[in-house]
């Protein structure tokens, strides 16, 4: 695991480069887990990984693959000490004639969100029954690659632009088959204090399959204010394609009072081992998932020739990116970031 790191930025001819790096972006955790708790978390995570291998090898394309993967992802996150909190975001398209929000629409969707950590696909699959899009390197990682493939992950070779049409076609096929697909259109990870632009290419799969795009904002929080908050005492179930949390103890605005955490970020020349050790050493770590209403394009913008398709992709990317940005920062934080 210690040898797994991000490739140099120059190794890819078309991916964007994030300005984030561990020595610049990582902040000291608010509370540190003791040695026994860290050891217990590592042991628990290893047990969950190993227990998932026979399941991944036999799961295949079963009707229950999404639900089983969601439960397994939640179990692994719990072992690592990560709690998921979900909240609903608002969609305001300003009366746009190009797109409309479809908050009540069920069925498959292209789920898109900002990218912070290697934990992100786990968090998304724990929240939605979906197939995540992962980099090809993940498929070659020992144990993890087998688990990802068994859970239905689609893989993209980030160094081969020529492979992109095939990836979009595979995403389209999955969406047409009734499965949601999750992607991270930034093309790289950020530390959580900012985000990059959404690249439009992946949005073509939603247009070709005739499914909506559902934006999701991911951020990590930590601190004593998180403990006992909206999901710590909750239980999670799955309704349709979305995991829904029923909370027995809710404290209003608890998550908002917690501090933004960059500890789970996986950026720059960071290694997987270093990232795992930071995560298990952090107490009261919460992954907050803000789910926005799904978006569909109106009328003929989604149809037509190459120029129309390019415009439609760009419109969807801009709308999804704008919505995700509203879920990453509180109003005071947005002013400071500006």
């Amino acid at each position: 695991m210690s040898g797994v790191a991000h490739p140099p930025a120059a190794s890819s001819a078309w991916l964007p480069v994030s300005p984030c790096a561990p020595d610049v972006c990582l902040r000291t955790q608010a509370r540190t887990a003791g040695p026994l708790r860290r050891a217990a978390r590592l042991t628990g995570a290893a047990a969950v990984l190993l227990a998932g291998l026979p399941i991944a090898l036999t799961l295949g394309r079963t009707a229950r693959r999404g639900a089983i993967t969601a439960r397994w992802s939640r179990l692994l996150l719990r072992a690592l000490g990560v709690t998921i909190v979900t909240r609903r975001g608002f969609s305001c398209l300003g009366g746009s004639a190009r797109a409309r929000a479809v908050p009540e629409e069920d069925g498959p969707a292209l789920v898109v969100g900002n990218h912070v950590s290697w934990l992100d696909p786990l968090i998304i699959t724990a929240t939605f029954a979906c197939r995540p899009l992962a980099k090809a390197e993940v498929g070659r990682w020992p144990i993890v690659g087998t688990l990802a493939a068994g859970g239905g992950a689609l893989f993209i070779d980030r160094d081969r632009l020529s492979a992109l049409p095939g990836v979009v076609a595979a995403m389209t096929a999955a969406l047409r088959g009734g499965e949601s697909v999750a992607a991270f259109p930034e093309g790289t990870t950020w530390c959580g204090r900012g985000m990059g632009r959404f690249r439009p290419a992946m949005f073509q799969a939603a247009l070709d399959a005739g499914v909506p795009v559902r934006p999701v904002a991911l951020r990590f929080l930590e601190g004593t204010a998180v403990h006992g908050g909206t999901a710590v005492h909750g239980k999670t179930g799955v309704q349709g394609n979305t995991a829904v949390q029923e909370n027995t103890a809710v404290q209003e605005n608890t998550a908002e009072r917690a501090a933004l955490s960059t500890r789970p970020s996986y950026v720059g020349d960071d290694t997987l081992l270093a990232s795992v050790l930071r995560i298990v050493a952090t107490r009261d770590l919460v992954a907050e998932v803000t789910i926005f209403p799904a978006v569909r394009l109106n009328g003929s913008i989604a149809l037509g020739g190459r120029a129309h398709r390019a415009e439609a992709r760009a419109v969807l990317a801009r709308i999804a990116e704008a919505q995700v940005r509203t879920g990453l920062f509180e109003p005071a934080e947005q002013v400071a970031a500006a």
Side-chain angles (χ1 to χ4, degrees):
M1 291 176 66
S2 60
V4 179
H6 294 286
S11 67
S12 176
W14 63 282
L15 281 177
V17 177
S18 166
C20 299
D23 57 342
V24 175
C25 298
L26 296 184
R27 295 174 174 175
T28 303
Q29 59 264 47
R31 299 180 69 195
T32 303
L36 291 179
R37 179 172 296 191
R38 299 185 202 186
R41 287 176 174 176
L42 290 172
T43 302
V48 173
L49 287 172
L50 292 176
L53 277 176
I55 299 175
L57 292 172
T58 59
L59 197 54
R61 292 199 60 182
T62 66
R64 292 179 52 80
R65 179 172 62 184
I68 293 173
T69 302
R71 293 190 180 95
W72 182 87
S73 297
R74 289 194 293 272
L75 187 61
L76 180 56
L77 289 167
R78 182 179 299 177
L80 291 168
V82 181
T83 299
I84 299 179
V85 170
T86 59
R87 68 177 188 175
R88 296 292 176 180
F90 297 97
S91 179
C92 180
L93 301 183
S96 171
R98 293 184 169 189
R100 68 186 190 279
V102 284
E104 303 303 324
E105 182 163 340
D106 292 324
L110 176 62
V111 181
V112 296
N114 58 301
H115 204 4
V116 178
S117 171
W118 58 271
L119 290 174
D120 297 347
L122 286 173
I123 293 166
I124 292 295
T125 54
T127 308
F128 299 90
C130 65
R131 300 180 64 180
L133 183 65
K135 59 183 181 180
E137 298 97 299
V138 173
R140 296 190 289 269
W141 290 357
I143 301 179
V144 175
T146 301
L147 292 169
L154 301 169
F155 297 102
I156 177 171
D157 189 338
R158 303 184 306 170
D159 296 328
R160 292 178 56 222
L161 181 58
S162 60
L164 186 57
V167 174
V168 173
M171 295 169 62
T172 302
L175 291 167
R176 285 175 175 167
E179 298 178 290
S180 292
V181 175
F184 303 99
E186 291 166 288
T188 189
T189 51
W190 289 60
C191 70
R193 293 187 293 177
M195 62 176 285
R197 295 291 182 183
F198 277 9
R199 298 168 70 85
M202 298 302 173
F203 292 87
Q204 187 62 49
L207 296 171
D208 291 344
V211 303
V213 171
R214 186 174 294 281
V216 172
L218 302 177
R219 68 174 186 169
F220 293 91
L221 306 166
E222 64 174 295
T224 55
V226 177
H227 191 69
T230 54
V232 172
H233 301 295
K235 58 181 180 178
T236 306
V238 176
Q239 295 181 2
N241 288 327
T242 306
V244 179
Q245 293 186 338
E246 301 174 2
N247 303 299
T248 58
V250 176
Q251 297 178 5
E252 292 185 0
N253 298 324
T254 299
E256 284 72 20
R257 292 197 303 269
L260 182 70
S261 177
T262 60
R263 306 296 298 174
S265 62
Y266 184 48
V267 295
D269 58 356
D270 203 3
T271 64
L272 182 59
L273 178 59
S275 178
V276 170
L277 293 178
R278 286 197 308 271
I279 289 167
V280 299
T282 304
R283 296 189 64 178
D284 306 316
L285 183 59
V286 166
E288 182 188 74
V289 183
T290 302
I291 304 171
F292 292 90
V295 176
R296 280 186 180 274
L297 292 186
N298 289 327
S300 60
I301 185 174
L303 305 173
R306 179 177 298 179
H308 281 277
R309 292 196 299 271
E311 181 184 5
R313 293 195 300 268
V315 168
L316 279 175
R318 288 197 299 269
I319 291 173
E321 179 191 325
Q323 289 185 322
V324 170
R325 286 183 185 275
T326 66
L328 293 186
F329 307 102
E330 300 305 315
E333 292 173 333
Q334 292 188 30
V335 172

